[in-house]
């Protein structure tokens, strides 16, 4: 079905083509033509008379172009309103119901508290002012539309897409993963309108209805009549389909959840039905939202390059499967997470992956050898209110380098991001000097109890926590909470391994940002103006213990229970910090990207690429800030631009950077974002998100050619739904 036919069919209009008469003698044709013309004139005259007699009762929807136009305007306005939503692009307003203090339809979307939403809240008059921010501010729809009968349009919305509806993150996966049923629309025969991509009910985000003139049995004389006085019902066989019920269940069997509506494009005598209806599919809505998302991503990359004296983009993050293992714990402790309903081995969880307790805010890495089918052993949890897992706690597991640039390698992949309370792995260097031993806490094997003197000032050397053993969380632009592990060089005896574990939160006196290089991402370096010789007043953090530094030294001979000592820095402890740096800092949220970007996991769905000319340059690289196709001059071999193709024909070959959005999964081409489909390109699941050529590597190292469509069409199909945007210079 063509896009034009599809759009018209959605508002109940079908196209009919005339069939040519069989070949006959021309004179006979002329005579037949006269008879046809006469017959048409008689029929037209009869139709006009019938129209005049019946217009006051039930005007035919197929002869109602005014309502059709208003429905189209309302649909366009609603999609634009949702895509430009300031808090969560993709959210739709509540309807305007007749439940105000003075019952009326005042044009303002209702305010419904999260957790109190019922099916009846999701159907009402079309709102011309939509709410945001807990109903504190009304955002105009910029239109007030009525149908040809002078009645305001009506509107219904899925709970997945209203504020506080609990539908899940608003991104392309919501079509398949939305927590609540989508709206279903049936045709005049009672058949569910199907998704051509899946063969299932078409997932519909919202419907807009022109109620038409009042029908027999409808009384709109009251101040705010109920929906039954505006919206109609249709009997098909043994079933009655109601557009007005708003009960949240199927009209055929109310035990089946999901609101239903019916289109009757050509009502028959006795139908008593004149509703006109258009609908917005989840795919239509998410495409509009994704267009905004990739625009925001492109602007963030532009801002990064503009703020960088070297005129370079950041290193990208290697694209990894966005769906991280997540769920609810069935048990656990301060050093373990148990989920009897998840197989962590099948999910691919590895040593060093970061586990985040979303309920209490704590985080910690998976210990070495700490992965079994249902249990993750952790190296401990920090940064939360309880720093432990109990049954019912929500969690997510992610690879530690998922959103951080890969220096020297990743020039196409995910955006490298930093966002508030983000947890990531990194190395750091510290040095302290205790004035005296602090016997705060000891445990384990007494024979292996270390002393503070054993590690005091680390024999004059800095303690370096390697990248794969440090985990940090930014809480402010100059404040970080960290935990790290290191093996100490001053082993007291053969066969004994001494480790030190450091927890701390840190507020810097001086902050500088260092531009990326060929071997390093852009970093935020923090230092004290010091050293400090006297006591340092601890800075308490709301989500950390009051002690700002904790050091646990452990001796382990591998045979007996290890011995350990915990020393806690307080206001009477002398401390020297020589250096603290190396915390990765890339595109900042919410300063360089809006907070909703990561709150709805859009970082999982944006693929970006940069040309070789805009790589962070050193003497070892050829990036000079000017991409050319083909590259010109010795030493510029890697400075070629990216290309964009439409319908497999190159239309631009001068692109310095671009972003691509994948849209929803396409089952018609065997995309499956749960199974990790093997692709001809690298990584192995890229083709489950993007279509060729966006999923292909043209060379062993990277993808240089990106495309909008491969067939002779610019429309979305069940075989291609990527969107692409060049980054402005």
């Amino acid at each position: 079905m063509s896009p034009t036919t599809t759009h018209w069919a959605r508002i109940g209009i079908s196209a009919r083509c005339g069939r040519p008469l069989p070949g006959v003698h021309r004179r006979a044709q002329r005579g037949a033509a006269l008879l046809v013309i006469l017959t048409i004139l008689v029929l037209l005259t009869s139709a006009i008379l019938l129209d005049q007699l019946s217009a006051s009762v039930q005007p035919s929807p197929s002869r109602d172009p005014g309502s059709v136009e208003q429905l189209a305007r309302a649909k366009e306005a609603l999609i634009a309103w949702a895509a430009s939503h300031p808090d969560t692009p993709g959210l739709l307003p509540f309807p305007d119901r007749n439940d105000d203090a003075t019952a009326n339809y005042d044009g303002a979307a209702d305010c419904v508290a999260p957790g109190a939403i019922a099916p009846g809240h999701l159907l009402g008059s079309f709102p011309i002012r939509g709410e945001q921010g807990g109903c504190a501010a009304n955002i105009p729809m910029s239109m007030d539309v009525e149908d040809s009968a002078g009645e305001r349009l009506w509107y219904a919305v899925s709970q997945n897409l209203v504020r506080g509806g609990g539908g899940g993150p608003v991104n392309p996966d919501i079509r398949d993963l939305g927590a609540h049923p989508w709206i279903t629309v049936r045709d005049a025969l009672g058949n569910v309108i199907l998704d051509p991509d899946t063969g299932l009910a078409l997932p519909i985000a919202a419907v807009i209805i022109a109620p038409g003139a009042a029908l027999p049995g409808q009384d709109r004389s009251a101040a705010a009549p109920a929906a039954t006085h505006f919206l109609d019902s249709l009997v098909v066989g043994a079933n009655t389909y109601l557009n007005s019920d708003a009960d949240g269940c199927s009209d055929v069997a109310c035990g089946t959840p999901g609101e239903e509506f019916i289109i009757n494009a050509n009502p028959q005598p006795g139908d008593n039905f004149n509703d006109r209806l258009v609908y917005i599919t989840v795919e239509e809505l998410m495409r509009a939202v994704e267009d905004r998302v990739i625009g925001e991503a492109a602007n963030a990359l532009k801002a990064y390059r503009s703020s960088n004296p070297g005129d370079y983009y950041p290193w990208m993050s290697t694209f990894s499967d966005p769906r991280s293992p997540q769920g609810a714990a069935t048990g656990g402790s301060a050093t373990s997470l148990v989920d009897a309903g998840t197989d962590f081995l099948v999910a691919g969880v590895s040593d060093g992956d970061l586990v985040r307790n979303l309920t209490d805010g704590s985080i910690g890495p998976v210990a070495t050898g700490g992965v079994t089918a249902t249990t993750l052993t952790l190296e401990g949890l920090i940064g939360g209110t309880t720093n432990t897992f109990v049954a019912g706690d929500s969690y997510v597991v992610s690879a530690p380098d998922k959103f951080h640039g890969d220096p020297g390698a990743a020039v196409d992949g995910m955006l490298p991001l930093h966002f508030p309370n983000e947890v990531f792995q990194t190395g750091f260097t510290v040095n302290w000097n205790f004035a005296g031993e602090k016997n705060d806490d000891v445990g384990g094997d007494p024979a292996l109890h270390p002393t503070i003197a054993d590690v005091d000032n680390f024999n004059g050397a800095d303690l370096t926590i390697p990248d794969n053993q440090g985990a940090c969380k930014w809480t402010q632009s100059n404040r970080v909470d960290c935990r790290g592990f290191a093996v100490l060089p001053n082993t007291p005896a053969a066969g004994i391994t001494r480790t030190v574990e450091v927890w701390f939160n840190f507020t810097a006196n001086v902050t500088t940002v260092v531009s990326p290089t060929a071997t390093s991402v852009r970093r935020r370096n923090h230092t004290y103006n010091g050293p400090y010789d006297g006591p340092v007043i601890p800075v308490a953090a709301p989500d950390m213990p009051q002690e700002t530094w904790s050091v646990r030294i452990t001796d382990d001979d591998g045979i007996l229970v290890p011995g350990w000592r915990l020393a806690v820095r307080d206001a009477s402890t002398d401390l020297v910090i020589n250096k603290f740096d190396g915390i990765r800092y890339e595109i900042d949220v919410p300063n360089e990207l809006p907070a909703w970007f990561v709150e709805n996991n859009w970082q999982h769905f944006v693929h970006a690429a940069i040309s070789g000319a805009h790589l962070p340059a050193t003497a070892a690289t050829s990036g000079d800030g000017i991409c050319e196709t083909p590259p010109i001059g010795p030493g510029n071999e890697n400075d070629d631009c990216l290309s964009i193709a439409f319908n497999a024909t190159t239309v631009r070959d001068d692109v310095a950077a671009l972003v691509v959005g994948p849209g929803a999964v396409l089952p018609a081409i065997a995309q499956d974002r749960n199974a990790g489909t093997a692709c001809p390109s690298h990584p192995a699941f890229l083709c489950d998100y993007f279509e060729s050529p966006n999923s292909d590597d043209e060379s062993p190292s990277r993808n240089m050619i990106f495309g909008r469509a491969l067939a002779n069409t610019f429309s979305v199909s069940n075989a291609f739904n990527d969107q692409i945007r060049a980054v402005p210079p």
Side-chain angles (χ1 to χ4, degrees), residues 256-281:
T256 303
E259 199 66 69
E260 292 191 331
F261 294 85
I262 192 164
I263 295 176
N264 188 13
N266 295 291
Q268 302 302 310
D271 281 349
N272 206 35
F273 187 102
N274 65 353
D275 288 352
R276 301 303 306 274
L277 182 149
V278 295
Y279 53 77
I280 300 172
T281 68

Side-chain angles (χ1 to χ4, degrees), residues 121-142:
H121 295 120
L122 305 174
L123 173 69
S125 178
F126 187 84
I128 58 175
R129 295 189 304 278
E131 49 77 24
Q132 276 103 28
C135 305
N138 288 328
I139 309 300
M141 193 73 68
S142 301

Side-chain angles (χ1 to χ4, degrees), residues 76-94 109-110 127 129-141 155 157 160-165 170 285-286 288-293 296 594-597 599-600 602:
E76 181 180 0
L78 197 59
I79 291 175
W81 187 93
S84 59
H85 196 291
D87 302 326
T88 306
L91 286 188
L92 291 164
F94 282 98
D110 283 356
R129 295 189 304 278
E131 49 77 24
Q132 276 103 28
C135 305
N138 288 328
I139 309 300
M141 193 73 68
Y155 159 70
V157 60
N160 286 314
L161 292 169
V162 293
R163 181 189 56 81
V170 182
L285 184 64
M286 286 301 103
V289 175
E290 188 174 74
D291 186 62
R292 177 181 175 188
V293 167
E296 296 274 6
W596 56 257
F597 194 96
E599 290 169 358
N600 291 278
W602 280 103

